[in-house]
Amino acid sequence: MAQQVEQLRADGVDKEVLREGTGPLPDFRDGTKATFHYRTLRCGDEETPVDDSRARGKPMELIAGKKFKLPVWEAALRTMRPGERARFRCDTKHVVLYPLVSKSLRNIAAGKDPLEGQRHCCSIAQMHEHYSLGYPDLDELQKNPQPLIFDIEVLKVEPPGSYQQDPWAMTDEEKLQAVPQIHKEGNELYRQGKVSEAAAKYYDAIACLKNLQMKEQPGSPDWIELDQKITPLLLNYCQCKLQCEEYYEVLDHCSSILNKYEDNVKAYFKRGKAHAAVWNVAEAQADFAKVLALDPSLRPVVSKELRSLEARLREKDAEDKIRFKGIFSQ
């Protein structure tokens, strides 16, 4: 390990051990997965924090040999034992792409598409001074690259074949092969009433397909084929979000589907339910009317939703009358 640390130092990466790890140094061959917490700091007297995986509640996972955009992390992890905590001060040349990596990790933590804003745009184009990452601190780092400190704590190291890969770590072929199984697992979780866990599975399957789709020309046959696989998964995801009462996310996703597929009955129905939940009465009625126009056999289900909406409106009107009566009687 001493030789590896010396090589890092010669290449502009200084390591400071804060807590020793245990056991032998893992060989870290390709396919090895390291799970770790990290804290990114600016160099300087104040050491201003940039990112902190602990604050997000989920550690980072990195698989060796997958050409992660920040090679210095893999190089640093190769010098660490499980349980070890160390700080790595990295010269600017090693962290030029950190703003892009950070944006993706922040998007993942927020439940967004990690590739949002990166489709059909190379890394060099994304680093152009006029390109915004959507985070002011990352924009500033992008315009003015500087050395960074990574405070890393290794939680565990798993050899190849001993764990289930996350979608982002799969090859294109592995992603395509994994989607049906992930979809099946999501359906089973939903049947068991584990709605949040099911939503996470659907999200993973969607992420696999979107990652493949971004490599295709929009509107091409391959792009359309992938989009048609994404749509039912996205509708399942929306069903979960309806039950989690995350209505505005349902509105966004269903509208995106209907912008491409104007005859998607399920999208109209789920969007109608979301509109009704947030008191967009006219929009809900319009969506339910569209459902009936496309599939008259759904009249009993739509009628039930409309009756429910009308009952909620009556309750709301009664509550408003009581509330306003109290105001005007004062």
Side-chain angles (χ1 to χ4, degrees):
M1 182 181 70
Q3 184 179 1
Q4 291 174 302
V5 172
E6 188 57 39
Q7 289 174 345
L8 281 178
R9 184 179 294 112
D11 197 29
V13 179
D14 291 322
K15 177 180 180 180
E16 175 190 359
V17 177
L18 303 178
R19 186 182 67 231
E20 296 287 350
T22 58
L25 186 69
D27 63 8
F28 226 85
R29 63 188 185 276
D30 285 356
T32 300
K33 182 169 80 169
T35 303
F36 60 97
H37 274 302
Y38 70 94
R39 192 163 181 251
T40 305
L41 309 163
R42 293 174 183 265
C43 291
D45 294 338
E46 296 184 359
E47 293 191 350
T48 306
V50 179
D51 289 303
D52 187 343
S53 64
R54 290 181 185 82
R56 295 173 187 157
K58 185 177 180 181
M60 174 69 185
E61 296 177 347
L62 186 149
I63 297 178
K66 291 290 186 178
K67 297 182 179 179
F68 186 62
K69 278 188 176 180
L70 208 63
V72 71
W73 273 7
E74 184 172 327
L77 288 165
R78 288 180 182 276
T79 72
M80 301 182 72
R81 294 181 172 86
E84 181 178 339
R85 182 181 172 192
R87 284 162 57 104
F88 297 85
R89 184 195 181 281
C90 305
D91 285 353
T92 303
K93 66 180 181 179
H94 294 292
V95 297
V96 172
L97 290 180
Y98 183 77
L100 296 176
V101 172
S102 177
K103 175 186 176 178
S104 293
L105 295 177
R106 291 181 187 188
N107 282 350
I108 290 171
K112 299 178 181 178
D113 182 354
L115 300 168
E116 182 179 281
Q118 297 183 32
R119 292 175 178 78
H120 305 289
C121 186
C122 69
S123 296
I124 299 302
Q126 293 172 35
M127 290 166 57
H128 192 276
E129 62 178 356
H130 298 303
Y131 177 87
S132 174
L133 295 170
Y135 298 94
D137 60 334
L138 299 183
D139 286 341
E140 196 277 328
L141 269 181
Q142 183 172 251
K143 293 175 183 176
N144 301 293
Q146 57 192 267
L148 293 174
I149 296 170
F150 298 116
D151 183 332
I152 296 175
E153 178 186 10
V154 178
L155 303 179
K156 60 181 177 180
V157 178
E158 299 169 273
S162 66
Y163 59 88
Q164 183 175 356
Q165 287 194 64
D166 288 333
W168 63 266
M170 297 176 183
T171 64
D172 288 354
E173 185 177 351
E174 287 170 340
K175 288 185 178 78
L176 202 55
Q177 292 175 349
V179 166
Q181 180 60 32
I182 299 173
H183 191 169
K184 181 179 178 181
E185 291 171 1
N187 290 346
E188 182 59 31
L189 287 166
Y190 186 83
R191 280 193 290 270
Q192 295 172 9
K194 299 177 180 178
V195 178
S196 295
E197 292 90 339
K201 287 291 183 181
Y202 296 138
Y203 178 87
D204 284 346
I206 292 166
C208 285
L209 294 172
K210 279 187 172 289
N211 182 274
L212 297 173
Q213 191 184 41
M214 69 166 288
K215 300 174 184 180
E216 305 294 340
Q217 183 65 31
S220 69
D222 288 339
W223 188 95
I224 292 172
E225 182 180 354
L226 288 166
D227 203 60
Q228 289 172 343
K229 291 180 179 179
I230 290 169
T231 298
L233 286 162
L234 190 52
L235 287 168
N236 286 0
Y237 180 79
C238 286
Q239 180 61 33
C240 294
K241 292 301 175 179
L242 275 174
Q243 294 196 27
C244 294
E245 300 183 356
E246 297 180 32
Y247 302 119
Y248 289 101
E249 188 169 358
V250 176
L251 292 176
D252 287 343
H253 289 311
C254 287
S255 294
S256 72
I257 291 171
L258 291 168
N259 285 336
K260 293 176 287 187
Y261 308 105
E262 297 179 353
D263 60 348
N264 193 298
V265 176
K266 290 183 178 180
Y268 278 115
F269 185 74
K270 295 181 194 303
R271 192 175 71 172
K273 285 175 68 72
H275 274 310
V278 297
W279 302 106
N280 296 337
V281 177
E283 291 86 347
Q285 291 171 337
D287 278 349
F288 289 138
K290 191 69 175 179
V291 171
L292 289 178
L294 291 169
D295 189 349
S297 70
L298 293 175
R299 182 170 297 279
V301 179
V302 171
S303 296
K304 180 180 177 182
E305 293 296 331
L306 289 172
R307 286 196 299 271
S308 174
L309 176 58
E310 290 167 2
R312 290 175 59 233
L313 285 171
R314 287 194 296 271
E315 290 176 8
K316 186 174 184 296
D317 287 342
E319 291 172 0
D320 288 345
K321 286 178 181 178
I322 295 172
R323 186 183 303 112
F324 292 139
K325 182 179 179 181
I327 293 173
F328 292 123
S329 64
Q330 291 179 356

